[in-house]
Amino acid sequence: DSGVTQTPKHLITATGQRVTLRCSPRSGDLSVYWYQQSLDQGLQFLIQYYNGEERAKGNILERFSAQQFPDLHSELNLSSLELGDSALYFCASSHSGSSSGEQFFGPGTRLTVL
Amino acid sequence: AQKVTQAQTEISVVEKEDVTLDCVYETRDTTYYLFWYKQPPSGELVFLIRRNSFDEQNEISGRYSWNFQKSTSSFNFTITASQVVDSAVYFCALSESYNTDKLIFGTGTRLQVFP
């Protein structure tokens, strides 16, 4: 158990809908990362937050947004969902966010868009 | 641009064989970090190792060993005496150290170990 929690574990929804994925980092970790794992794109970095502020952005679609709250949990919002958004979404956390320490990954949220 | 290449898509071995998973990286940074993660069939990502660009010493942890060669930009992973429980997808990853340590992953190598 990495100490990173993600909810829900599975999510099935329809095209055009909006969903919110939630992540709680390990106790004491200030940085949260979101990654998407899909069959065609592999494991891709989406976005990073550090202590409530956006630190880095990757290949994140404009339909997707994220935020980190004062209690350090993070949410990833996916809207106007398309079939191609079906993927495993991972959240990871680390203490500092810039010293390339180990990132601890949550179990992932599997999103299926029908 | 940073890039990680894992040319081996899938490897199949029989138990007790040794197997090496290749990883080649590209970066313009002089300071960077390399990682290996394991993704078993259950789906979670398990951290295996982290090396920084200034430490080229090989590392051994039980049946696992890693060979980091800056001259060839490679960070290969060897499993000695493989076991069925080693069956998983293995990812090599790279991170820069300035401002963000987001991970750039390779495409992964699926290892199947047969009894």
Side-chain angles (χ1 to χ4, degrees):
Chain A
D1 185 349
S2 67
V4 179
T5 59
Q6 289 187 250
T7 56
K9 200 165 183 176
H10 300 277
L11 199 47
I12 301 175
T13 188
T15 53
Q17 295 298 304
R18 173 191 168 93
V19 297
T20 297
L21 312 184
R22 183 188 167 102
C23 168
S24 292
R26 287 189 327 152
S27 177
D29 282 357
L30 300 176
S31 201
V32 168
Y33 313 76
W34 287 97
Y35 294 87
Q36 179 196 57
Q37 185 176 28
S38 62
L39 282 175
D40 52 346
Q41 299 288 331
L43 253 173
Q44 280 202 107
F45 167 74
L46 294 178
I47 197 163
Q48 176 194 3
Y49 277 83
Y50 176 77
N51 204 21
E53 306 252 334
E54 184 183 300
R55 173 69 67 91
K57 220 167 184 174
N59 296 327
I60 187 167
L61 299 170
E62 282 191 20
R63 301 183 284 109
F64 295 2
S65 65
Q67 53 185 328
Q68 186 179 28
F69 295 87
D71 67 352
L72 300 177
H73 90 271
S74 177
E75 293 180 356
L76 179 67
N77 299 296
L78 316 176
S79 61
S80 303
L81 285 167
E82 301 175 359
L83 295 177
D85 297 327
S86 295
L88 187 53
Y89 290 85
F90 285 107
C91 168
S93 75
S94 72
H95 183 67
S96 74
S98 64
S99 64
S100 290
E102 178 185 345
Q103 289 183 25
F104 296 86
F105 281 80
T109 292
R110 184 167 294 283
L111 173 66
T112 302
V113 182
L114 300 174
Chain B
Q2 296 184 321
K3 187 179 174 183
V4 176
T5 301
Q6 294 180 257
Q8 303 151 309
T9 306
E10 188 160 339
I11 300 175
S12 295
V13 298
V14 177
E15 238 183 345
K16 295 184 186 168
E17 280 186 36
D18 298 347
V19 58
T20 295
L21 310 182
D22 297 333
C23 172
V24 173
Y25 62 91
E26 292 175 34
T27 179
R28 282 180 288 192
D29 293 335
T30 54
T31 303
Y32 52 89
Y33 294 80
L34 296 163
F35 300 78
W36 277 94
Y37 281 84
K38 173 182 179 180
Q39 186 174 39
S42 50
E44 73 271 26
L45 281 166
V46 179
F47 168 83
L48 295 178
I49 190 171
R50 162 185 176 261
R51 299 309 295 267
N52 73 53
S53 52
F54 298 110
D55 183 3
E56 285 193 74
Q57 276 197 344
N58 291 334
E59 180 150 343
I60 298 174
S61 175
R63 296 184 298 106
Y64 295 171
S65 62
W66 290 269
N67 182 282
F68 176 29
Q69 291 201 346
K70 248 171 140 170
S71 59
T72 55
S73 297
S74 65
F75 186 43
N76 296 337
F77 172 32
T78 297
I79 302 175
T80 303
S82 59
Q83 299 176 1
V84 172
V85 293
D86 295 327
S87 297
V89 180
Y90 291 86
F91 290 94
C92 182
L94 167 71
S95 81
E96 59 189 18
S97 61
Y98 177 71
N99 191 46
T100 172
D101 51 3
K102 65 182 184 186
L103 293 172
I104 312 277
F105 285 91
T107 49
T109 297
R110 180 178 299 278
L111 173 65
Q112 294 200 67
V113 182
F114 293 99

